[in-house]
Amino acid sequence: MRTTNWMVTAALLVSLSAAAQQAANSQSPAPASAPDASQGSQSSQQTAAAQPAPAPASQPADVQSAPVAQPLPAPAPAPTTMEDVVNLFIQHEHGLIKMLANRTPIVETYLQNLTLDPQLGPVPSEDHYFLGRMDMGETIDRKDYLKEEEKSMQQRLMGGFQRLYKVQYQPLGFSWMVYADRTDFDRNHYEFRYVRREFLGDVRCLVFDVTPKKDAGRGRFLGRLWVEDQGYNIVRLNGTYYPAPRNSYFFHMDSWRLNLIPGYWVPSFIYSEEGDFSAGAKNKMAFKAQTRIWGYDLKRGNKDDELTQIRVDSVTDETPANQDASPLQAERVWQQQAEDNVVERLVGGGLLAPEGDVDRILQTVVNNLEVTNNIDLPRPVRTRVLLTSPLETFSVGNTIVISRGLVDVLPDEASLAAVLAHELAHIVLGHNLGSKYAFNDRMLFSDDTTYQNLGFRHIPEEEEAADKKALELLKNSPYAQKLENVGLFLKALQARAPALGALLTTHLGNPFASNGTVTRLAALATQGPALDNTKLDQIAALPLGGRVKVNPWDDKAEMVKTAPVAITSARDKMPFEVTPFFPRLSRYGAGAPTAAAPTTTAAAPNPSTPGSN
Ligand SMILES: [Zn+2]
């Protein structure tokens, strides 16, 4: 392994960086190539072979003779040695940490403990869910949205690796790999060894193995980095921390960044997995977990901002000129004001996607139900996407909200229509909740108390009535002939419900199940064929992450475009399960819609890179 024992001055780093940036700007973009879906251990042979071997490291003497404290040099060639590249990505990592220091994105971790099923392989046995705001300043910190349990979670975890990774899952631990090393990512603490070049999506990367130096201390990054070859920013980290303190355990993580703003690659997805199901394996801990980060562009959720965040919209006056509002009109305007307040507040808190493409698809399904049932409401029904994973729907006024996780796992349009029909039924039946939110003082709360301040749960009688009405709406709709698929989905959900308590725990609306038994749309659950894992063409439910992708910077949601990949065994189905992330990387502004994302199974399409802007 090459030793890197020379020092450079900060001034030199700055000038090198400027030169590299200018050189990079003058280059044409890297050619697109077939995505390399291999994990780190497998090489993208043809791209690696096409590149010249890295030049030898420059000598310390050269470095020290370089001009110091001079104005930035004229455009110069891109870094010529791997040593230069290492300096650049170290410097850019520190730049990223600084740029994100005043951000407080949302961080969500969904974890499934695994047990071995002889037919299906590792399957979920129980699950855990964490949602919070992460303060990316000097001390990485978080505020949890879910107060019921784990409230005593350490608020200050900086330097506290020893406490992070105990078997009791610490939510912040799963997002720790947003950076390789927050405080000491430098040549004094690490050795960097160039491995090869490799494409991740459209982006050509230089791959480095990173090992902590002998006396670097505990909890240092050990693993592999992918560095894009134009701006020299880290785009993926894969590995763990080492050495672990006594009585604690470091998870393995695969951490991905996206080029969502010019010049920066922003931490977006982290996949964690542990578990060995080979015969005779001793460590019984087994889980897989997805951590998603979004809401980078949200205002900080602190008290000072609350009053300025709330904008009191003037209510649109829809009455004809020179007429006073009738009592019924006043009631409707009032309800709309409540609805608008709630939608705006949820967007501001990073829980609801801004209006976008997915809404239009949902809207089409709702329209299909309305038109065929001759439903004519005084105001149009709107649809919006909740950005979280737990399976839930709710409605406020005429707005139907459905969670990202639920859209992900629904196998077809008929199943989507069924869950939307339940909420449309509430609206048609006049089960309006939430008019109290027309009072703006009720919107004045900090983001992390959203779940304490908002709620849209109906009484059991209204739930029953909505299910009954939903069935009626569906039977009159274009989905009438496909209700067997809905039955199949509900059966699959029932089969997994006892193990997926966290995924089925709703935070704003009514749950789909209570005590492990699916109650939503129960009349449809008896329809359709029996659930049969051995039938490879029977896809009752999809894995999480397969349909909706969220831009972590601006929270916009769009549909994932994936190419179908054949399912070859029952283990490929993975209903309701988490899978590794493999986003299709592309550079900011590369804009054009991306091709199909690489996936390993049809049932496991992964989120791909959000588009530019
Ligand atoms: Zn309901």
Side-chain angles (χ1 to χ4, degrees), residues 230-308:
Q230 286 183 24
Y232 301 98
N233 294 289
I234 297 171
V235 302
R236 182 186 180 192
L237 307 97
N238 175 301
T240 186
Y241 295 95
Y242 178 87
R246 247 162 20 111
N247 299 328
S248 63
Y249 190 83
F250 290 150
F251 301 151
H252 288 83
M253 291 188 245
D254 189 30
S255 174
W256 292 80
R257 297 176 179 179
L258 302 179
N259 194 189
L260 303 173
I261 52 171
Y264 293 98
W265 289 73
V266 182
S268 303
F269 307 108
I270 302 170
Y271 176 70
S272 322
E273 182 186 297
E274 296 295 332
D276 180 356
F277 289 102
S278 58
K282 284 196 180 122
N283 189 350
K284 291 296 175 206
M285 183 171 66
F287 70 84
K288 47 188 182 175
Q290 287 182 339
T291 297
R292 292 177 160 84
I293 306 168
W294 70 84
Y296 280 102
D297 208 21
L298 291 173
K299 293 200 175 78
R300 293 178 73 91
N302 62 31
K303 276 256 183 276
D304 299 339
D305 287 337
E306 279 159 27
L307 290 170
T308 56

Side-chain angles (χ1 to χ4, degrees), residues 393-395 422-423 426 456 458 462-463 466-467 510 520:
T393 61
F394 65 90
S395 48
H422 174 91
E423 296 301 338
H426 279 307
F456 308 95
H458 292 275
E462 288 183 350
E463 282 300 285
D467 270 351
N510 286 88
R520 179 74 54 91

Side-chain angles (χ1 to χ4, degrees), residues 396-411:
V396 51
N398 275 23
T399 295
I400 297 175
V401 176
I402 179 168
S403 67
R404 191 209 80 243
L406 181 55
V407 178
D408 275 349
V409 300
L410 292 168

Side-chain angles (χ1 to χ4, degrees), residues 4 27 71 89 126 128 147 159-160 257 305 338 348 356 427 454 457 537 554:
T4 52
Q27 288 172 351
F89 73 69
E126 60 169 343
H128 300 271
K147 303 290 188 196
R257 297 176 179 179
D305 287 337
I427 293 172
L454 296 181
R457 290 195 176 87
D537 61 344
D554 60 20

Side-chain angles (χ1 to χ4, degrees), residues 537-556:
D537 61 344
Q538 188 190 80
I539 304 298
L542 302 183
L544 289 162
R547 290 219 188 269
V548 180
K549 60 182 177 182
V550 174
N551 180 316
W553 194 264
D554 60 20
D555 297 353
K556 283 185 184 151

